[in-house]
Amino acid sequence: MAKVDVKRRLLKINTIRIVVQFLSFLFFSAIIFNLGSLPILLPVLWTWGLQQNTVGDAFTALQLMLSGWQQSTPVFPWLAVASFLAVGVLLGKSLCGWVCPFGFIQDLIDFIKVKKMEVSPKTHEDMTLMKYLVLGITLFISVTFSAAKLLGAHRSYENAMGIFAYAPFTAVSPSETLFATLPKMVQGFSNAIVEKPVLEALAGVLDLPPLFWVQLFILVGILVFAAYVPRGWCKYFCPHGAIMAVLNRFSFMGLRRDLVKCVKGECRECVKTCPMRVRILELPWEKFSDPECIYCLKCVDACPNKAIRLKYP
Ligand code: SF4
Ligand code: SF4
């Protein structure tokens, strides 16, 4: 009996999803496949700072193209916009649930056994708006800097803002810190330790700009928060998530809840298990594509009556 239970648990969709997330992470960083860069932008939180990247992060591309990074004039970010639109319409927010490396890290952190924080419905509703604020501030800086550059009046803007003029969000993105800044630091230390005494090598590595400590503070804060609030970053702060939440409404992707099997939604197992706090039982049963749903399918796994399934289109 115990063996059957283990087998059933291993076959759950969530296990398959974790494996897909892990393989995607390996593919993105190309450390196993030794692949070169592909001309693909995806709407997931990744990094541009890692040398062994295969794919690009669409939101960083959008900021860099708008600001005309390493170019004399800004460029309209067609590729990034196309990536958001195509993925949003065809797959909704499912890359957040199955592919995004920073989403994967949060799902791993969620396995840490700590008492999860109770966030009241009102606070939750208010906090989901934060990601639109992050998105709005980023776009405001990128667009105004782009306009200043087109008018040839960007020098003082650039001097005042530094790297924030070119990549206002990516400069402090926790994903950038985790997947690029910290690995580079470790690599720098391991190179230095070959040539210098340990303390001297450590002093060299720790001689860091104030921006690094800000990045580290944000990263640690977000990771600790994710341990207490599942997918806390995705629900409340991620600007990628904000764009995809808007597009999720227009997606072919959706879920269907069979009313006959659902028995008036009495058990509420699907709602209890949903990391994004989607109000499944209050949405149209024929098909729902909630802005926050990342199609992790945990609700499908959790339903004892097998009442929920994917609906496409
Ligand atoms: S919302 Fe979460 S899963 Fe989606 S892009 Fe942002 S970090 Fe990744
Ligand atoms: S509604 Fe279901 S598929 Fe969507 S996020 Fe919640 S548990 Fe995942």
Side-chain angles (χ1 to χ4, degrees), residues 255 270 273-278 280 288 292-300 308:
L255 292 168
C270 56
T273 202
C274 177
M276 302 302 284
R277 294 185 58 158
V278 176
I280 299 168
F288 57 91
E292 301 301 326
C293 178
I294 54 173
Y295 298 102
C296 62
L297 306 185
K298 281 189 173 181
C299 52
V300 175
I308 303 177

Side-chain angles (χ1 to χ4, degrees), residues 7-136:
K7 201 173 164 197
R8 205 165 51 204
R9 250 187 284 136
L10 283 176
L11 281 176
K12 290 231 169 185
I13 302 166
N14 200 40
T15 312
I16 300 168
R17 191 175 65 86
I18 296 281
V19 172
V20 172
Q21 286 176 309
F22 178 63
L23 293 177
S24 305
F25 174 65
L26 293 184
F27 175 70
F28 274 35
S29 51
I31 45 177
I32 295 289
F33 305 103
N34 201 22
L35 293 173
S37 297
L38 299 173
I40 300 175
L41 295 175
L42 289 180
V44 294
L45 201 60
W46 182 226
T47 168
W48 278 73
L50 201 65
Q51 271 179 354
Q52 303 97 331
N53 266 347
T54 31
V55 299
D57 156 340
F59 194 55
T60 303
L62 184 142
Q63 295 162 74
L64 295 179
M65 290 167 93
L66 270 177
S67 62
W69 173 251
Q70 294 183 337
Q71 283 166 353
S72 49
T73 51
V75 183
F76 188 82
W78 290 112
L79 275 179
V81 172
S83 163
F84 277 113
L85 288 177
V87 174
V89 171
L90 294 175
L91 298 173
K93 220 176 172 180
S94 54
L95 294 194
C96 289
W98 289 75
V99 171
C100 175
F102 204 70
F104 174 47
I105 295 294
Q106 289 172 86
D107 286 345
L108 293 183
I109 287 177
D110 193 33
F111 285 117
I112 298 172
K113 293 271 175 258
V114 290
K115 191 175 179 323
K116 302 298 173 193
M117 199 186 284
E118 298 277 338
V119 180
S120 73
K122 170 83 174 74
T123 308
H124 167 71
E125 291 299 325
D126 292 346
M127 283 183 69
T128 52
L129 301 177
M130 290 287 294
K131 57 181 178 289
Y132 298 102
L133 186 67
V134 175
L135 175 65

Side-chain angles (χ1 to χ4, degrees), residues 114-191:
V114 290
K115 191 175 179 323
K116 302 298 173 193
M117 199 186 284
E118 298 277 338
V119 180
S120 73
K122 170 83 174 74
T123 308
H124 167 71
E125 291 299 325
D126 292 346
M127 283 183 69
T128 52
L129 301 177
M130 290 287 294
K131 57 181 178 289
Y132 298 102
L133 186 67
V134 175
L135 175 65
I137 293 172
T138 306
L139 290 182
F140 177 78
I141 296 174
S142 291
V143 170
T144 51
F145 183 71
S146 181
K149 200 162 180 177
L150 282 173
L151 296 170
H154 62 291
R155 287 287 167 222
S156 52
Y157 203 153
E158 191 176 352
N159 290 341
M161 302 279 289
I163 184 65
F164 287 95
Y166 287 96
F169 168 73
T170 303
V172 287
S173 160
S175 184
E176 200 64 37
T177 314
L178 182 65
F179 298 125
T181 313
L182 289 178
K184 273 186 201 161
M185 236 182 95
V186 173
Q187 198 179 14
F189 178 65
S190 51
N191 290 344

